[in-house]
Amino acid sequence: MRHNRIRAAFFAFAAAGALGAAPATAADNSYDGLWNVTVVTKSGSCEPSTSSTLTVSDGKVSAGGAPAGTVGREGLVRVSINGAYANGQLSGKTGSGKWNGASAGVPCSGRWEASRQ
């Protein structure tokens, strides 16, 4: 289902950033670890709310072992999966941002929040 792809994209973060953000280097692992991410739909027909756990390792975000995005040195996150996009900011043990995608061709968008486990 399209919702599941969109949900995976946002969890695949997870957490989220600006276009052109520099990826973290192997030496900069301040965001490495497991992150709990909650995605909330504000407009459109996508699932209203869902939560998942994502992994950040050496500036790369993955969901279920699949690559999903990047986290830059300054905590900027960028995710793009199957036509769904998320971006935002991690800081310390929390993060938040925005996402957009579509369900059955109808645009959806909303916010996400993350916390480190």
Side-chain angles (χ1 to χ4, degrees), residues 19-34:
L19 295 175
T25 64
D28 181 12
N29 57 6
S30 56
Y31 298 104
D32 282 5
L34 297 176

Side-chain angles (χ1 to χ4, degrees), residues 9-11 13-17 35-42 50 54 71 75-79 85-91 94-100 109-115:
F10 307 127
F11 296 135
F13 241 7
W35 290 80
N36 294 318
V37 180
T38 300
V39 174
V40 177
T41 298
K42 295 291 186 181
T50 188
L54 301 177
V71 179
L76 296 175
V77 181
R78 180 175 56 181
V79 174
Y85 304 92
N87 64 64
Q89 178 76 44
L90 297 180
S91 180
T94 62
S96 63
K98 296 180 180 182
W99 66 268
N100 64 70
S109 63
R111 297 209 27 92
W112 61 264
E113 292 186 4
S115 61

Side-chain angles (χ1 to χ4, degrees), residues 43-99:
S43 68
S45 60
C46 294
E47 194 169 333
S49 178
T50 188
S51 297
S52 186
T53 300
L54 301 177
T55 302
V56 176
S57 180
D58 292 329
K60 295 182 179 14
V61 177
S62 63
T70 60
V71 179
R73 282 180 285 210
E74 302 300 320
L76 296 175
V77 181
R78 180 175 56 181
V79 174
S80 174
I81 297 176
N82 295 322
Y85 304 92
N87 64 64
Q89 178 76 44
L90 297 180
S91 180
K93 295 184 178 194
T94 62
S96 63
K98 296 180 180 182
W99 66 268

